[in-house]
Amino acid sequence: MITLRNSLVALVAMFVSLSITAMPATAASPEQELLEYVDSNTQELVDKLNEEKNLYSEDPEAFYASMNKALSDFVDFRRIAARVMGRYARQATPDQRDEFVRKFKRSLFDSYAQALVSTEEFEIKVKEAMINPNDPGRASVQMEVISASGNRYPVTYSMYKTDQGSWMMENVIVEGVNIGLAFRDRFSQEMEKQRGDVQAVIDNWGSAMESLKLDQTVGNT
């Protein structure tokens, strides 16, 4: 079984690779451009994270604001949150959907911030980018997280191209665990527990995330 600490290394990759703002203008294939786009910015954000580790303990809110700014241009939190709500999104008001986006985003940071700043040293390799041949607006990027002890963890980003032509991440798979699906299953369970009360699920989402123990789910694969 993969240890808790090592599984968190893989989860860290979900965050540290997501500060991507501009595609390079090259004559390379679309797949090569996408790979270079992810790779170069991944290393930049890893450096940034290392520089700001102390900020988490000194000023958690400032750390959150910094990471939120870095991630928001690449991670489509609203799209992900809507998928987590699934069919229950239709039962929610626009204000409730907006509130869940905020709660969902914050819960991710709160759940894994400690892992981000305390995990052992690691290396991230972007191995392959694949654009869907049936839909050029969809792509996946294969990555590998290598821990200081030499353990390797596969990570896959599911991405889509916006109307403005930029790529955004809409899901992540860590060691075969579909993170978005795990969150959606938990939301559904919470809806049953709260007897269909969407607001109650939103209000208690932070606790639901803590009880999900996603790191153990990954570690058991």
Side-chain angles (χ1 to χ4, degrees), residues 79-97:
R79 189 182 185 96
I80 296 171
R83 291 183 174 182
V84 170
M85 295 183 81
R87 68 181 186 275
Y88 300 110
R90 295 192 295 271
Q91 300 179 25
T93 66
D95 285 345
Q96 286 176 322
R97 290 194 289 270

Side-chain angles (χ1 to χ4, degrees), residues 152-175:
R152 295 171 180 266
Y153 308 96
V155 177
T156 302
Y157 293 148
S158 297
M159 305 174 69
Y160 80 98
K161 183 176 286 189
T162 68
D163 293 339
Q164 292 71 40
S166 60
W167 286 100
M168 296 194 76
M169 191 273 281
E170 60 182 352
N171 195 17
V172 61
I173 298 171
V174 180
E175 294 200 290

